[in-house]
Amino acid sequence: MAEDLQIHKGTKEEQYQAIIPQIKWLLEGETDSIANMANVAAALKEQFGWLWVGFYMVKTDSGNIEELVLAPFQGPVACTRIKKGRGVCGSSWAAAKTLIVPDVEKFPGHIACSSLSKSEIVVPVFRNEKVVAVLDVDSDAYDQFDETDQLYLELITALLQL
Ligand code: SME
């Protein structure tokens, strides 16, 4: 396989339209969830240069309670475990919907893994209509995410078979 991603400049929409076929190609024929999350995180990080792009997976703890656990990501080191309903990630999981946060300091209960993070979008990943993971993207600038990101990141998470 060719190693290099083709990075495109242009509007946000044009960038997503250029990266999505490459993500489809990266996922094609690979069934391993970790490998696929790793390549999606890397492709998005390379294309958009965001501060942090990665996944948290729903897993059960020793007491059989579900929580989010850090999974493949690109960016600074991050918190490893997040309870349901906590922070942006745990809230997106609990609500089973995408959350866009223009200013993380204004989100009650936001979990600051990096003090550099200023805005954030979290997109649930579904299997059989159940949330099995979330895709979390952080920017070091305020107000970086909108409905265009939601649309395309939801398309991308739908490509993942976790
Ligand atoms: N800010 C997230 C925690 C994860 S880190 O941003 C990577 C939250 O509030 O859930």
Side-chain angles (χ1 to χ4, degrees):
M1 94 182 225
E3 303 295 332
D4 292 336
L5 209 64
Q6 300 299 312
I7 302 303
H8 288 259
K9 294 192 163 60
T11 64
K12 187 187 269 189
E13 185 136 22
E14 287 164 349
Q15 291 186 62
Y16 277 113
Q17 283 175 1
I19 203 73
I20 283 180
Q22 299 187 78
I23 288 176
K24 281 188 182 159
W25 176 79
L26 283 167
L27 299 179
E28 207 175 86
E30 179 53 69
T31 55
D32 188 86
S33 305
I34 301 292
N36 285 336
M37 286 188 284
N39 262 341
V40 168
L44 290 172
K45 172 83 169 155
E46 268 203 81
Q47 174 63 53
F48 292 99
W50 289 313
L51 174 70
W52 199 92
V53 184
F55 293 88
Y56 283 87
M57 292 189 83
V58 176
K59 296 191 174 181
T60 46
D61 69 10
S62 50
N64 217 27
I65 306 288
E66 285 189 325
E67 62 183 348
L68 291 174
V69 181
L70 186 63
F73 72 95
Q74 297 271 320
V77 294
C79 330
T80 54
R81 290 172 191 270
I82 298 174
K83 302 274 178 227
K84 197 167 194 173
R86 301 291 291 276
V88 189
C89 291
S91 300
S92 168
W93 171 27
K97 63 175 201 175
T98 297
L99 293 182
I100 296 171
V101 181
D103 177 350
V104 295
E105 281 143 43
K106 294 192 177 138
F107 187 93
H110 169 256
I111 301 164
C113 291
S114 166
S115 58
L116 296 174
S117 175
K118 301 289 184 239
S119 58
E120 182 165 0
I121 182 169
V122 179
V123 181
V125 184
F126 295 92
R127 182 174 59 211
N128 301 331
E129 290 167 32
K130 191 174 182 292
V131 178
V132 291
V134 297
L135 168 63
D136 180 18
V137 183
D138 287 66
S139 170
D140 60 4
Y142 292 107
D143 203 12
Q144 289 302 293
F145 303 107
D146 56 23
E147 293 70 23
T148 301
D149 299 284
Q150 175 169 358
L151 174 73
Y152 286 105
L153 293 175
E154 286 178 356
L155 282 176
I156 290 168
T157 54
L159 297 172
L160 280 167
Q161 312 273 316
L162 302 186

